[in-house]
Amino acid sequence: MSNLFLLGVDGLPPATLFRFVEEGVLPNCAKLLGDAARLDVVPTLPALTSPGWQTIASGAHPATLGISNILLPTPGRAPDHIRNGFDRSLSHGEYLWERLAADGHPAIVVKYPGSWPVQVDSEHLIQVDGAGGYADITCSFEEVSSTCYACGFELPQSQAQGCCSVPHGYDDHWRVDSATASGWTPVTARDPLNWAHLPAGAVPGFETVLVLTPAGQRTRRLLHALAYTDDAGQARLLVRTGKDRPEAVTTLQVGQWSDWIHDESARGAFAYRLKLLELDVARRVLRLYRSEGHRTTGFTRPAAVAEELCAAVGPVAEWTGTFDFMNGLIDLDTQLEIYDRHTAWLEGALRHLARNHPWRGFFVHWHVVEYAHHIAGAALDPDHPEHHRDQEQYLSFLRDTYRLLDRLVGTVSELAGEDDTLALVSDHGHDTVHSLFFINDFLRERGWIVTGDGENIDWSRTRAYGLFPGLVLLNTTSRWSGGIVTEEEVEPLRQEITAALRALVDPRTGRPVVSAVLGPAEMRAHGQHGEVAPDVFFTMDKGYEPATRLRHDAAGLFELTVPGVELTSGHGSFHPASPSAATLALIRNPDLRGGAVARHPVAMVDLAPTFAALMGVDPPQTCDGRPVDLRNSGLTKKEDAQ
């Protein structure tokens, strides 16, 4: 039986993939579509990254895994005290690579969501990272967050507001170590003093200090930067560890990236890069972007593989989230350069591991398409009122991102042999988000949320709370000791909230906007139940997405999303039956007919057992799904179907 190479592509909408293939810009994807059988895949409830990828790996429903969402309620705590849904130690499932390793088959896992910390200590398993970088969440191996050092102009004061606030208790949350909520780091331009060993002809303009504070430390790192004009009249930035040091950390012109800069923290070595975005020596204007600093040790099992990878392909370029662009730290060109560097590192790591280590199963995840759609989704859909704003620029950005996908598909196609199974899989699709609906403001208006001083939730009077994306938790006495909703009150309250959601009308259009409200029985049918499952799940019409932050103004329950300021694309309605949430799996296998399309959609829980069957191995022990009947789905070659 064949080996399996699984390439996971986050947030891949089939319609956009097909569009760019038809434009002729994705030759490797076009070839894979011709060589592979295609399954239309029904995602999890909700159609979301954390439960989706863990279901793909395990064949288990969210209820079996105990992973209901990215934001997991904490048993025994208030509804807004949540945990990280990507924490592998919280999942009750067994993953396909763990089953392979237990049966003595070598497996390699690279940056797969929900796979860290490693739960299986096996000589047959190599694992690389998998601890973050998804859904704009800080990676556990991040030592310094990305930021932009700036002076000479007024800096933004607040973080760009997206669909989520960060609830209490979330340890691995959004940009945990940024210098400010916006990600900007203000610096002060001063007259240069006591600099030595300057380049010939350099005319100093101003100096400043760049501060780095590694995660979990009070000790700061200081770099000294000098803005000067060279003998050709060009503005340059010199960065050193000391003003009198003859050697430079880097010297940059506008638009230029530094090489990797290596440093040490209490946890270990890490590396980052700098890009000079703007420099006006005379006006003392500076914008200097610092990438995330990811660990260069400790992010693999066995630990020695980290050193091996850094020697072969360089430090990890992890952070590709939307935060930096949405907060104005970088432009689209820089964002694309970050995508490119991340993808190049991943390709190098895959080549090295696949060629130097044995494997029967190889599992890798790439998140970049998801982020690009979040940023540029409005450009694809005229239903968004701001569809034409910088449309060509955003479409070009999307095409270039998909070209990176195409390059990655080409790399993976080379590594998977003709007798191997190559699977390209995604966790959900994408669709326009033109309006945010503020669910917790809605609950507060109706008295189900009560806030006290400073807009903090008063849990002694609060009966319900909304979590992204469309989950409502009741503040029950059974959930935690401070709950106020008794068991007898649960069903009447659920019915009240359900009725109010179904009656919700967008005052801008006069039309109802909630497409479905699911209670426990309906959610159970989609594999969503258990102690961390919501009490109510609701989905919205095309273009609407729930937002959980409580606002401190009276701006209404709905807000238009603006390209470059808010995310303008999401996961459809997050309902598995939504056409825009659906995605695909492309499976290239010697026994399958290239270009064939399965007669019926398949459930996401059926992917892992299908891959196991193609490999001739046992599925994960906690698997809820069953292998797809490939022959009766019309996917096998004619001679095998006879």
Side-chain angles (χ1 to χ4, degrees), residues 164-484:
C164 296
S165 60
V166 181
H168 299 292
Y170 203 48
D171 294 326
D172 298 324
H173 58 72
W174 289 260
R175 317 314 295 137
V176 62
D177 288 313
S178 290
T180 65
S182 68
W184 291 87
T185 299
V187 297
T188 301
R190 298 185 176 90
D191 292 336
L193 293 173
N194 302 322
W195 286 82
H197 310 291
L198 294 181
V203 180
F206 67 90
E207 70 175 28
T208 193
V209 176
L210 311 176
V211 178
L212 295 84
T213 306
Q217 294 183 218
R218 295 182 180 180
T219 304
R220 302 186 304 168
R221 300 281 192 277
L222 300 180
L223 295 176
H224 298 271
L226 175 70
Y228 71 93
T229 304
D230 66 14
D231 53 8
Q234 296 295 316
R236 293 180 180 269
L237 189 73
L238 172 64
V239 180
R240 290 177 176 170
T241 56
K243 296 181 184 182
D244 58 352
R245 297 287 180 87
E247 67 280 359
V249 172
T250 188
T251 302
L252 299 172
Q253 291 181 283
V254 172
Q256 185 177 7
W257 285 93
S258 72
D259 291 331
W260 288 104
I261 300 170
H262 293 265
D263 206 335
E264 293 275 345
S265 73
R267 296 199 306 172
F270 66 97
Y272 61 92
R273 295 187 301 152
L274 299 171
K275 182 183 180 182
L276 185 58
L277 299 171
E278 182 179 5
L279 180 62
D280 188 316
V281 177
R283 294 174 51 238
R284 296 192 169 187
V285 173
L286 171 69
R287 282 195 303 132
L288 178 67
Y289 178 72
R290 186 190 74 208
S291 75
E292 173 204 53
H294 189 282
R295 292 271 303 279
T296 54
T297 61
F299 63 92
T300 66
R301 294 291 184 274
V305 174
E307 181 179 353
E308 184 182 319
L309 286 175
C310 287
V313 296
V316 180
E318 170 58 47
W319 177 246
T320 54
T322 63
F323 181 97
D324 295 350
F325 175 76
M326 289 299 180
N327 283 276
L329 276 62
I330 58 175
D331 54 23
L332 282 179
D333 288 341
T334 302
Q335 183 71 80
L336 193 64
E337 291 167 354
I338 292 169
Y339 289 172
D340 188 10
R341 177 59 68 101
H342 171 84
T343 307
W345 186 90
L346 190 61
E347 289 177 288
L350 299 184
R351 290 190 185 98
H352 176 83
L353 292 169
R355 293 169 178 171
N356 292 280
H357 295 274
W359 57 275
R360 279 219 64 200
F362 203 125
F363 306 83
V364 60
H365 172 268
W366 187 71
H367 208 101
V368 170
V369 157
E370 158 89 337
Y371 287 145
H373 274 279
H374 279 320
I375 289 172
L380 291 168
D381 190 347
D383 283 349
H384 196 292
E386 299 286 339
H387 168 64
H388 296 294
R389 177 182 289 204
D390 300 320
Q391 182 186 15
E392 288 307 314
Q393 182 183 15
Y394 282 119
L395 283 177
S396 177
F397 171 73
L398 277 171
R399 285 191 187 92
D400 286 341
T401 301
Y402 271 78
R403 286 188 176 98
L404 294 177
L405 168 62
D406 194 68
R407 194 179 80 195
L408 180 58
V409 168
T411 297
V412 169
S413 297
E414 293 173 2
L415 297 175
E418 292 184 0
D419 295 329
D420 296 330
T421 296
L422 170 61
L424 185 153
V425 183
S426 189
D427 57 336
H428 57 76
H430 255 269
D431 205 353
T432 306
V433 175
H434 59 63
S435 296
L436 297 178
F437 162 59
F438 294 93
I439 173 60
N440 285 324
D441 285 324
F442 168 83
L443 295 174
R444 180 165 59 175
E445 277 190 3
R446 285 152 180 80
W448 292 315
I449 284 180
V450 178
T451 53
D453 295 339
E455 295 296 297
N456 292 319
I457 294 175
D458 181 350
W459 290 107
S460 69
R461 295 185 291 163
T462 289
R463 294 164 60 79
Y465 177 77
L467 272 180
F468 178 82
L471 284 64
V472 179
L473 304 176
L474 303 186
N475 186 24
T476 58
T477 55
S478 61
R479 188 182 301 279
W480 72 303
S481 59
I484 64 171

Side-chain angles (χ1 to χ4, degrees), residues 609-629:
T610 300
F611 297 143
L614 289 169
M615 298 177 73
V617 299
D618 291 332
Q621 292 182 344
T622 54
C623 183
D624 293 315
R626 61 184 61 185
V628 174
D629 187 341

